[in-house]
Amino acid sequence: CRCLEAIKNGTTPNIIIMLMDDMGWGDLGVFGQPSKETPNLDRMAAEGMLFPNFYTANPLCSPSRAALLTGRLPVRNGFYTTNGHGRNAYTPQEIVGGIAQDEVLLPEMLRKASYVSKIVGKWHLGHRPGFLPLEHGFDEWFGSPNCHFGPYNNSDRPNIPVYKNSQMVGRYYEEFGINLKTGESNLTQIYLEESLVFIRSQATTHQPFFLYWAVDATHAPVYASKGFLGKSQRGRYGDAVMELDHGVGVILGELRSLGLAEDTFVFFTSDNGAALISAPMQGGSNGPFLCGKQTTFEGGMREPAIAWWPGHIPAGTVSHQLGTVMDLFTTSLTLAGLATPGDRIIDGLDLTSVLLNSTLIDRPIFYYRGNVLMAVRLGMYKAHYWTWTNSMEEFKKGINFCPGEEVVGVTTHEQKEHTMQPLIFNLGWDPGEKYPISVLSPEYQTALQQITPVLEQHQKHLLPGVPQLNMCDLAVMNWAPPGCEKLAKCLKGPKSEPWKCHWPH
Amino acid sequence: CRCLEAIKNGTTPNIIIMLMDDMGWGDLGVFGQPSKETPNLDRMAAEGMLFPNFYTANPLCSPSRAALLTGRLPVRNGFYTTNGHGRNAYTPQEIVGGIAQDEVLLPEMLRKASYVSKIVGKWHLGHRPGFLPLEHGFDEWFGSPNCHFGPYNNSDRPNIPVYKNSQMVGRYYEEFGINLKTGESNLTQIYLEESLVFIRSQATTHQPFFLYWAVDATHAPVYASKGFLGKSQRGRYGDAVMELDHGVGVILGELRSLGLAEDTFVFFTSDNGAALISAPMQGGSNGPFLCGKQTTFEGGMREPAIAWWPGHIPAGTVSHQLGTVMDLFTTSLTLAGLATPGDRIIDGLDLTSVLLNSTLIDRPIFYYRGNVLMAVRLGMYKAHYWTWTNSMEEFKKGINFCPGEEVVGVTTHEQKEHTMQPLIFNLGWDPGEKYPISVLSPEYQTALQQITPVLEQHQKHLLPGVPQLNMCDLAVMNWAPPGCEKLAKCLKGPKSEPWKCHWPH
Ligand SMILES: [Ca+2]
Ligand SMILES: [Ca+2]
């Protein structure tokens, strides 16, 4: 193939991963959003390859992002907790842990092929020294280590810092405003500008680059800048989507103007399903899929995904390849002419043949919650070994991850084990996971016989990493990030009193 | 506008209406079907105009089809029942009524502009003499007056006839086989061939034509021909969709080869939402919308819709116009250079400016069940005055029009009246009708103030037609349709014993 030849000849492409936050499969026009307000993404799909069967590695931000950058399941890279059974954990301000030192991240690898790497936006792999992006292979960073929650009072709890490289340059709700009433914030515009500056500068130096555009306007509290507020049919959430879609258009347009379009592989996806708990005003749509963020139903883990690389990836194509965010690690390495690390298990597949030659690779998808394997997909079949939405106690408080979507025996409020007789769905004819296949049917037996050995193989070789998300401590919050002195923004935290974090979901 | 000029100059386009049966909004790739198995329809959309906000006039076959062909709501054209409150009625074999003699159908009108009209497929506007297509303006017919239910024993109940023009040429499950076990039937291929023959013959005569392609493979019992069975990821239903999609591609291709593409206006839509009660094996997908066929939630009445007329309708566009099947009546007349009948109320709008100049017309959508106005949509707001799925008695028997989609207080099993304080949804941010707007909010008041005068205006001028679907009688079934003698297929029916039809939904 011409393209792989080109790679071997040393003309490795630039790589841009556009990772959305809590954006759902159903939020893009090309994936069926009725409002059709994403013309730039729809055009990106028309010029590239659409993946309707693309997954995250966990239905929550931090583990998903850790998986993307390491190419490994959270249960291997340590982005999970053992404080409870089947609980999603992440990196709030009080988390003690973060990405382990012995994990190898994509930008660290790409540096070997002379790539310059920048992350713009949300990191979420730990905010303490040693966990930050520049310690893990990124050359530049503009963004934040945590979610943009707040505002806080800076006495019990500090506002979240915004970094430029290794220094804090301000805090959310202070230098970087988000108006919770109106939803106005110009952060997406700042993130766009930071990306354009990087791309232009790399175009001048002719060094290959990796841009990780981890924008977060679609994560509650949802925000958009003045020019986009009120523009969508879908409320504030839709405004945020429209602004991000616009950003995608600007970035692709910039690549074209700089003559880099044929030299840049761009992949668009999201870190987890739409947060139906915040919907509809601050949460998106998972299209026909069941439930949302926090769950291992399709709505929690199936992601919008588009690959774009004009002249290399055939335009206007659809690939039914089962893909995951971890594949972006492996695929990027291949595009950079690098091998994956040989000293550890990598879960990501190399999708270059899928992208360039439209092949299909048979592979399973594993749906984890914490270190519990909840479900496995193989081909069209998905077997649930555990089902859970959230506890009845939380549900009674109004926390509902599946609003208007109760499926009896499926969207359970107790952690229900089905390991002896998994609930199996055929996602081809039942993408909404509403009709479990009868255990008495030949189809059930066929599906089970296909999945069981894959499950056994996976579990036989599974050596869980050390869980990084067990301990919390108010002392570790962002009291005095590097750079705070210059800004006179150093705060004093309490004494260290670590506790086992409580993860209700 | 160039195009309207052309119309005025006498070069009126051919008209093809492709009306699917029980196909859902979510069944097309371009509307977000994950399997993306409709390349021809997706291409039709890329070459034409997509309507994400297009509606039928009733969530059941017969009234929907009567509305399309008369441009009038079923409550006006008589395609409803008064045997129960808010009941959907249709034309089963035992129905006494049919389309009233004083209704004016689209082909009758088009005849005035020298159009030749053919219906291929399902009629469903009454099967007794006087109700059939050739009595109402069609010049040719190949298809059937009823659904393809069966097989029957020809003693209590005759098999459904298939007509060629005014003569029966066989019956379903006899001359026209449908294998209920395998789902195999070549009917879609026959319907395709009948259409191609008509188009080719009209291309030769240079007389404008109207083709009403009313195929029904996606109505249970779902069928597909050998070449398509087992091809879809979605089971038998998906096979049927793929075969119909293929048919669309063949027809559009034929228009191109004959040089007629720029002279033919083609509109693709469906008669009601996907029948979730038959899903997933024999029913489709309504994408993000609530419930399905039989209901006045979006899933019951929002339809896939694509307009195609190369050189006239701008390619690759999306119109957010609220449209209905009744608009096809009025729009077709305008395209043919004809005025609508002046002696009656026509509910259909002329969409030519929408199609040719991308304008938007403000108009309401009325959701009826029988003669009960269940809901009204205006702009993004939908107000429900009555909610009902089906009776608890039917529901307990397993008849579920909203499987896995219970929304408390919305998908009610009693007929619940909300006329004093309608349930209002913002379909922009809540297309799934899951989050009623709080009656205490200013938005609720604004929405209500907009909708109330529209509702009052509608009801003030409403003069219901004589209900045609009240009486049933076994004697009127298809015992001896015209042409039965030649085939030696005349059956003897029972004596006339009319009763008031029972409409449970
Ligand atoms: Ca997220
Ligand atoms: Ca129908």
Side-chain angles (χ1 to χ4, degrees):
Chain A
C1 156
R2 192 175 62 86
C3 325
L4 281 174
E5 279 310 308
I7 294 164
K8 281 173 198 148
N9 293 340
T11 56
T12 55
N14 305 308
I15 296 164
I16 299 180
I17 295 175
M18 298 172 159
L19 186 73
M20 302 300 110
D21 201 346
D22 294 9
M23 193 181 277
W25 194 95
D27 282 326
L28 279 60
V30 72
F31 284 103
Q33 169 52 233
S35 68
K36 299 268 172 202
E37 293 173 338
T38 55
N40 294 291
L41 284 162
D42 298 352
R43 182 177 165 197
M44 182 181 177
E47 296 172 354
M49 188 176 273
L50 191 75
F51 287 86
N53 291 282
F54 200 86
Y55 290 88
T56 184
N58 186 274
L60 207 62
C61 307
S62 296
S64 166
R65 288 154 196 261
L68 188 158
L69 289 172
T70 61
R72 286 149 59 80
L73 284 167
V75 69
R76 290 193 222 276
N77 67 32
F79 256 63
Y80 71 97
T81 182
T82 50
N83 290 359
H85 186 264
R87 303 302 168 100
N88 297 317
Y90 71 107
T91 56
Q93 278 210 83
E94 58 272 28
I95 198 80
V96 172
I99 189 72
Q101 206 50 55
D102 54 359
E103 288 297 321
V104 184
L105 271 63
L106 178 56
E108 281 177 81
M109 294 293 296
L110 289 175
R111 190 171 273 170
K112 297 182 192 174
S114 303
Y115 276 69
V116 178
S117 298
K118 179 167 187 171
I119 162 173
V120 172
K122 174 163 138 181
W123 173 238
H124 232 201
L125 263 57
H127 57 275
R128 297 177 67 206
F131 296 135
L132 294 175
L134 268 57
E135 306 295 313
H136 290 270
F138 282 101
D139 300 291
E140 300 182 29
W141 180 27
F142 188 92
S144 180
N146 307 95
C147 287
H148 54 274
F149 294 134
Y152 300 117
N153 59 8
N154 280 342
S155 91
D156 312 342
R157 189 169 282 262
N159 274 317
I160 304 290
V162 175
Y163 278 76
K164 187 177 175 81
N165 301 325
S166 56
Q167 304 272 305
M168 173 169 84
V169 289
R171 294 183 190 267
Y172 284 140
Y173 302 94
E174 298 177 21
E175 289 75 10
F176 298 92
I178 303 171
N179 185 325
L180 291 185
K181 234 179 222 167
T182 63
E184 186 180 340
S185 172
N186 62 351
L187 279 163
T188 297
Q189 292 304 316
I190 297 174
Y191 291 152
L192 179 58
E193 187 56 27
E194 283 286 333
S195 304
L196 296 175
V197 166
F198 177 66
I199 292 169
R200 284 179 204 134
S201 126
Q202 290 309 118
T204 314
T205 64
H206 297 290
Q207 220 178 340
F209 68 82
F210 166 46
L211 171 64
Y212 176 43
W213 194 53
V215 287
D216 64 356
T218 45
H219 187 298
V222 165
Y223 61 79
S225 65
K226 207 165 188 174
F228 290 90
L229 275 177
K231 289 286 183 291
S232 165
Q233 299 174 22
R234 305 177 65 201
R236 190 179 296 181
Y237 182 87
D239 297 339
V241 172
M242 287 178 84
E243 186 166 9
L244 293 170
D245 175 75
H246 167 261
V248 169
V250 170
I251 290 174
L252 299 188
E254 186 72 22
L255 292 174
R256 277 196 206 88
S257 329
L258 294 170
L260 293 180
E262 302 213 346
D263 303 324
T264 308
F265 170 73
V266 185
F267 201 95
F268 176 95
T269 189
S270 179
D271 70 339
N272 49 250
L276 300 188
I277 185 147
S278 309
M281 295 315 280
Q282 307 241 3
S285 162
N286 296 315
F289 301 119
L290 186 62
C291 302
K293 180 177 177 178
Q294 297 277 9
T295 78
T296 47
F297 299 108
E298 291 299 288
M301 293 185 56
R302 183 97 68 116
E303 307 304 329
I306 306 169
W308 185 91
W309 188 13
H312 303 268
I313 295 173
T317 46
V318 174
S319 172
H320 288 294
Q321 176 65 44
L322 306 196
T324 85
V325 292
M326 299 174 288
D327 301 344
L328 299 179
F329 175 87
T330 307
T331 304
S332 296
L333 293 185
T334 303
L335 293 177
L338 297 168
T340 52
D343 61 345
R344 62 196 67 210
I345 290 177
I346 299 291
D347 296 288
L349 282 189
D350 172 16
L351 298 183
T352 50
S353 69
V354 175
L355 294 163
L356 305 177
N357 306 319
S358 299
T359 58
L360 284 175
I361 307 165
D362 199 27
R363 69 94 69 89
I365 298 292
F366 299 106
Y367 304 70
Y368 273 90
R369 206 156 158 165
N371 56 349
V372 175
L373 183 62
M374 305 285 289
V376 177
R377 175 175 178 183
L378 189 68
M380 283 297 154
Y381 295 111
K382 179 174 176 183
H384 290 266
Y385 299 94
W386 286 89
T387 52
W388 194 39
T389 55
N390 62 352
S391 68
M392 191 47 90
E393 192 194 339
E394 292 269 312
F395 181 68
K396 280 187 179 155
K397 284 190 230 159
I399 297 175
N400 188 350
F401 299 142
C402 316
E405 298 184 340
E406 190 195 347
V407 183
V408 177
V410 178
T411 54
T412 59
H413 287 291
E414 72 280 23
Q415 291 195 351
K416 204 168 161 191
E417 187 167 7
H418 310 270
T419 47
M420 297 307 290
Q421 194 172 69
L423 279 181
I424 301 183
F425 295 93
N426 181 324
L427 296 179
W429 46 263
D430 179 21
E433 293 167 286
K434 290 182 183 171
Y435 309 95
I437 300 174
S438 162
V439 295
L440 302 173
S441 67
E443 189 179 15
Y444 185 91
Q445 293 308 323
T446 307
L448 195 59
Q449 279 161 23
Q450 289 171 10
I451 294 177
T452 303
V454 171
L455 171 74
E456 287 172 356
Q457 180 74 7
H458 173 68
Q459 293 187 319
K460 200 169 74 181
H461 293 285
L462 185 71
L463 191 70
V466 177
Q468 304 292 328
L469 307 179
N470 279 351
M471 297 308 297
C472 286
D473 187 343
L474 296 179
V476 306
M477 298 201 293
N478 297 290
W479 300 106
C484 68
E485 303 85 354
K486 235 185 299 180
L487 299 169
K489 283 198 160 264
C490 301
L491 303 168
K492 206 177 139 37
K495 269 190 307 188
S496 173
E497 283 187 59
W499 76 91
K500 272 183 149 183
C501 316
H502 173 62
W503 302 115
H505 307 129
Chain B
C1 155
R2 194 175 62 87
C3 326
L4 281 173
E5 278 309 308
I7 294 165
K8 281 173 197 147
N9 293 341
T11 56
T12 56
N14 305 308
I15 296 165
I16 299 180
I17 295 176
M18 298 172 159
L19 187 73
M20 302 301 108
D21 201 346
D22 294 9
M23 193 181 278
W25 194 95
D27 281 327
L28 279 60
V30 73
F31 283 103
Q33 169 51 233
S35 68
K36 299 268 171 202
E37 292 174 339
T38 55
N40 293 291
L41 285 161
D42 298 352
R43 183 177 165 195
M44 182 181 178
E47 296 172 354
M49 188 176 272
L50 191 75
F51 287 86
N53 291 282
F54 200 86
Y55 289 87
T56 183
N58 186 274
L60 207 63
C61 308
S62 295
S64 167
R65 288 155 194 260
L68 188 158
L69 289 171
T70 61
R72 286 151 59 79
L73 283 167
V75 71
R76 292 194 220 275
N77 68 33
F79 255 62
Y80 71 96
T81 182
T82 51
N83 290 0
H85 185 265
R87 304 302 168 102
N88 298 317
Y90 71 108
T91 56
Q93 279 209 81
E94 57 271 28
I95 198 79
V96 172
I99 188 71
Q101 207 50 55
D102 54 1
E103 289 297 321
V104 185
L105 272 62
L106 178 57
E108 282 178 81
M109 294 292 296
L110 289 175
R111 191 172 273 168
K112 298 182 191 172
S114 303
Y115 276 69
V116 178
S117 298
K118 178 167 187 170
I119 162 174
V120 173
K122 175 163 140 183
W123 174 239
H124 232 202
L125 263 58
H127 57 273
R128 299 177 64 206
F131 296 136
L132 294 175
L134 270 57
E135 306 296 314
H136 290 271
F138 282 101
D139 300 290
E140 299 181 32
W141 180 29
F142 187 91
S144 180
N146 306 95
C147 288
H148 54 275
F149 295 134
Y152 301 117
N153 59 9
N154 281 340
S155 90
D156 312 343
R157 188 170 282 264
N159 274 316
I160 303 290
V162 174
Y163 277 77
K164 188 179 175 80
N165 300 325
S166 56
Q167 303 273 305
M168 173 168 83
V169 289
R171 294 182 190 266
Y172 284 140
Y173 302 93
E174 299 176 19
E175 290 76 9
F176 297 91
I178 302 172
N179 185 325
L180 290 185
K181 232 180 224 168
T182 64
E184 186 179 339
S185 173
N186 61 351
L187 279 162
T188 298
Q189 292 305 314
I190 296 175
Y191 291 152
L192 177 60
E193 187 56 27
E194 282 287 334
S195 303
L196 295 175
V197 166
F198 177 65
I199 292 169
R200 284 180 203 132
S201 125
Q202 290 309 117
T204 314
T205 64
H206 297 288
Q207 221 179 339
F209 67 82
F210 166 45
L211 170 64
Y212 175 44
W213 195 53
V215 286
D216 65 356
T218 45
H219 187 297
V222 165
Y223 61 79
S225 66
K226 207 167 189 173
F228 289 89
L229 275 178
K231 290 285 183 288
S232 165
Q233 299 173 23
R234 307 178 63 202
R236 190 179 296 180
Y237 181 85
D239 297 339
V241 172
M242 286 178 85
E243 186 166 10
L244 294 169
D245 174 75
H246 167 261
V248 169
V250 170
I251 290 174
L252 299 188
E254 187 73 22
L255 292 173
R256 278 194 205 91
S257 330
L258 293 170
L260 292 180
E262 302 214 345
D263 303 324
T264 308
F265 169 74
V266 185
F267 200 94
F268 175 96
T269 190
S270 179
D271 70 340
N272 50 250
L276 299 189
I277 185 149
S278 310
M281 294 316 280
Q282 306 240 3
S285 163
N286 296 315
F289 301 120
L290 187 63
C291 301
K293 180 175 176 178
Q294 296 278 7
T295 78
T296 47
F297 299 107
E298 292 298 288
M301 293 185 56
R302 184 96 68 114
E303 306 304 329
I306 306 169
W308 184 91
W309 188 13
H312 303 268
I313 294 173
T317 46
V318 174
S319 172
H320 289 293
Q321 176 65 45
L322 306 198
T324 86
V325 293
M326 298 174 289
D327 302 343
L328 299 179
F329 176 87
T330 307
T331 304
S332 295
L333 293 185
T334 303
L335 292 178
L338 297 168
T340 52
D343 62 345
R344 62 196 68 210
I345 290 176
I346 300 291
D347 296 287
L349 283 189
D350 172 15
L351 298 183
T352 50
S353 69
V354 175
L355 294 163
L356 305 177
N357 305 321
S358 299
T359 59
L360 284 174
I361 307 164
D362 199 28
R363 70 93 70 87
I365 298 293
F366 299 106
Y367 304 70
Y368 272 91
R369 206 157 158 163
N371 56 349
V372 175
L373 182 61
M374 305 286 287
V376 177
R377 175 176 178 181
L378 188 68
M380 283 297 155
Y381 295 110
K382 179 174 176 183
H384 290 267
Y385 300 94
W386 287 87
T387 52
W388 194 39
T389 55
N390 63 351
S391 68
M392 191 47 89
E393 190 193 340
E394 292 268 313
F395 181 68
K396 280 188 180 154
K397 284 191 230 159
I399 297 173
N400 189 350
F401 298 143
C402 316
E405 299 183 340
E406 189 196 347
V407 182
V408 177
V410 178
T411 55
T412 60
H413 287 290
E414 72 279 25
Q415 291 196 352
K416 204 167 162 191
E417 187 168 6
H418 311 269
T419 47
M420 297 307 289
Q421 193 173 69
L423 278 181
I424 302 183
F425 295 93
N426 180 323
L427 296 178
W429 46 263
D430 179 22
E433 293 167 287
K434 289 182 182 170
Y435 309 94
I437 299 174
S438 163
V439 295
L440 303 173
S441 68
E443 189 179 15
Y444 184 92
Q445 293 308 324
T446 307
L448 195 61
Q449 280 162 23
Q450 289 170 11
I451 294 178
T452 302
V454 171
L455 170 76
E456 287 171 357
Q457 179 74 5
H458 173 69
Q459 292 187 320
K460 200 169 75 182
H461 292 285
L462 185 73
L463 192 70
V466 178
Q468 304 293 327
L469 307 179
N470 279 351
M471 298 307 296
C472 285
D473 188 343
L474 296 178
V476 307
M477 298 200 292
N478 297 290
W479 300 106
C484 69
E485 306 83 354
K486 234 185 301 178
L487 298 170
K489 285 200 157 263
C490 302
L491 303 167
K492 205 176 140 36
K495 270 190 307 188
S496 174
E497 284 188 57
W499 77 92
K500 271 184 152 183
C501 314
H502 172 62
W503 303 114
H505 308 129

